[in-house]
Amino acid sequence: MRNNFSLALKKLNLKITPKRLAILEILMKESVFLGPEEIWKKLRTRFKKIGLPTVYRNLEELAEGNIISKINHPNRQLYYYLCPNQSPHHHFICLSCHKVEDINFCILKELEEEVINNIRGKVLSHILQINGLCKECFKERKNGL
Amino acid sequence: MRNNFSLALKKLNLKITPKRLAILEILMKESVFLGPEEIWKKLRTRFKKIGLPTVYRNLEELAEGNIISKINHPNRQLYYYLCPNQSPHHHFICLSCHKVEDINFCILKELEEEVINNIRGKVLSHILQINGLCKECFKERKNGL
DNA sequence: AATTAAATAAAAATCATTTCTATTTAACAC
DNA sequence: GTGTTAAATAGAAATGATTTTTATTTAATT
Ligand SMILES: [Zn+2]
Ligand SMILES: [Zn+2]
Ligand SMILES: [Zn+2]
Ligand SMILES: [Zn+2]
């Protein structure tokens, strides 16, 4: 996987730096979305010198290059997620525990058809995200915990 | 329509203030999404005393009450839109001229089915938005204008 | 080893948004 | 209309996540 990352970074003309790889490794281990500050804290256990702006910058570049995906959180802060699933799909995020799960369909085709036929414009990007409570968090809330 | 607004505000236990109605009137006239500062500038032609925090607060309350809808802009700033279309649907926004157009389908049903069957959690909210160029802006860009 | 452009640390700035407090106003009862 | 009360507001100030800046370091290439 480290090799895949290196390859992906090469393709984007991003240098393969230890910190960049560490950010990807941290994200890869997680099934929840993480914010820049959380990632920074984890990085600081491995690097004695690492600035928060470096984390912000790298996350932005990686998202720009579609290696990681940005989460649309209601609190409007930045969160990122590295999805192992390569096929086009969308995400369910748990607002309680931050777990990300795949929604196994992508509506891009239908959307583009609609936009071409009715709006006669061009699609540049689309957001589809479901916010809710995962199985475990929903159960807990039902039980009043 | 002013009466409809008053009724809607009543239902939300929000007082019917001139400024609140003015914000709704401004948004109703527009086919583009507007930011708090743009709305504030328009309001200042009618009210000599009006604070920007009042605009922010009101927009938030109106969005919370589903009278207006929040736009998900890539620049992550706040924008709002008052849609005349009451039926459940989603929006195409033009990143160039800020026009909002309706996408005439809502995928809430399919999403909930997927979440119930596969994720076994609860849907609290969902975002579907298409960002692109409207007919006019797309034409302009094609022509290299 | 030398070269060069990209990446980084650290400090500082930014600026959209929110909070705070004293004052005003809408809604309601009389 | 007058009085009462809770909500709304103005204005000033604070907030804090994110971005910018600049000098230094490092990855990649020769
Ligand atoms: Zn995924
Ligand atoms: Zn959860
Ligand atoms: Zn347009
Ligand atoms: Zn609409």
Side-chain angles (χ1 to χ4, degrees):
Chain A
M1 197 51 137
R2 193 188 182 98
N3 272 333
N4 285 348
F5 286 152
S6 297
L7 201 66
L9 291 176
K10 269 245 168 74
K11 274 185 194 160
L12 295 172
N13 289 319
L14 294 174
K15 289 188 179 172
I16 297 154
T17 67
K19 284 164 188 175
R20 212 163 251 159
L21 288 173
I23 288 171
L24 287 168
E25 280 164 24
I26 286 167
L27 283 168
M28 194 176 52
K29 281 200 206 109
E30 295 285 345
S31 62
V32 297
F33 58 83
L34 297 175
E37 203 132 1
E38 288 172 282
I39 295 166
W40 185 48
K41 275 178 195 149
K42 287 173 194 286
L43 286 164
R44 288 208 289 183
T45 66
R46 292 177 51 183
F47 300 94
K48 51 180 169 300
K49 280 193 169 195
I50 179 151
L52 190 49
T54 298
V55 183
Y56 271 92
R57 188 179 4 86
N58 274 291
L59 289 169
E60 185 51 39
E61 288 163 345
L62 295 170
E64 194 57 37
N66 288 315
I67 298 184
I68 63 178
S69 48
K70 227 183 255 205
I71 298 296
N72 261 279
H73 199 280
N75 75 7
R76 304 189 336 106
Q77 286 180 210
L78 288 168
Y79 296 99
Y80 297 90
Y81 179 70
L82 171 47
C83 189
N85 179 351
Q86 303 288 325
S87 55
H89 65 282
H90 294 285
H91 288 137
F92 172 92
I93 67 165
C94 177
L95 294 179
S96 177
C97 71
H98 297 185
K99 183 158 77 174
V100 180
E101 301 191 60
D102 287 351
I103 292 282
N104 283 311
F105 61 81
C106 182
I107 47 155
L108 184 55
K109 249 189 198 167
E110 291 95 312
L111 288 176
E112 291 205 309
E113 208 165 292
E114 168 86 5
V115 170
I116 288 166
N117 292 339
N118 294 59
I119 290 167
R120 303 197 175 277
K122 182 170 178 52
V123 175
L124 294 177
S125 62
H126 72 290
I127 317 164
L128 171 55
Q129 187 185 282
I130 302 93
N131 306 326
L133 297 172
C134 74
K135 189 178 166 188
E136 285 73 28
C137 293
F138 185 40
K139 228 187 281 177
E140 276 178 21
R141 221 170 268 202
K142 263 187 174 168
N143 299 340
L145 299 179
Chain B
M1 196 50 137
R2 190 188 184 99
N3 272 333
N4 285 348
F5 285 152
S6 296
L7 201 65
L9 292 176
K10 269 245 169 74
K11 275 185 194 159
L12 296 172
N13 289 319
L14 294 175
K15 289 187 180 174
I16 297 153
T17 67
K19 284 163 186 174
R20 213 164 250 159
L21 289 173
I23 287 172
L24 287 168
E25 281 163 22
I26 285 167
L27 283 168
M28 194 176 52
K29 281 200 206 108
E30 294 285 345
S31 63
V32 298
F33 58 82
L34 297 174
E37 203 132 0
E38 288 172 281
I39 295 166
W40 184 47
K41 276 177 195 148
K42 287 173 195 285
L43 285 165
R44 288 208 289 183
T45 65
R46 293 177 50 183
F47 300 93
K48 52 181 168 301
K49 281 193 167 193
I50 180 152
L52 189 50
T54 298
V55 182
Y56 271 92
R57 188 177 7 84
N58 275 290
L59 289 170
E60 185 51 38
E61 289 163 343
L62 294 170
E64 195 56 38
N66 289 313
I67 297 184
I68 64 178
S69 47
K70 227 182 254 205
I71 298 296
N72 261 279
H73 198 279
N75 76 5
R76 305 189 336 107
Q77 288 179 209
L78 289 168
Y79 296 99
Y80 297 90
Y81 178 70
L82 170 48
C83 189
N85 180 351
Q86 303 290 324
S87 54
H89 65 283
H90 295 285
H91 287 138
F92 172 93
I93 67 166
C94 177
L95 294 178
S96 177
C97 72
H98 297 185
K99 183 157 76 173
V100 180
E101 301 191 61
D102 288 350
I103 292 282
N104 283 312
F105 60 83
C106 182
I107 47 154
L108 184 55
K109 251 188 198 166
E110 292 96 312
L111 288 176
E112 291 206 309
E113 208 165 292
E114 168 87 4
V115 171
I116 288 167
N117 293 339
N118 296 60
I119 291 168
R120 303 199 174 276
K122 181 170 179 52
V123 176
L124 293 177
S125 63
H126 72 290
I127 317 165
L128 170 55
Q129 187 185 282
I130 301 94
N131 305 326
L133 297 172
C134 73
K135 189 179 167 186
E136 284 74 29
C137 293
F138 185 39
K139 228 187 281 176
E140 275 179 22
R141 218 168 271 201
K142 264 186 172 166
N143 299 340
L145 297 180

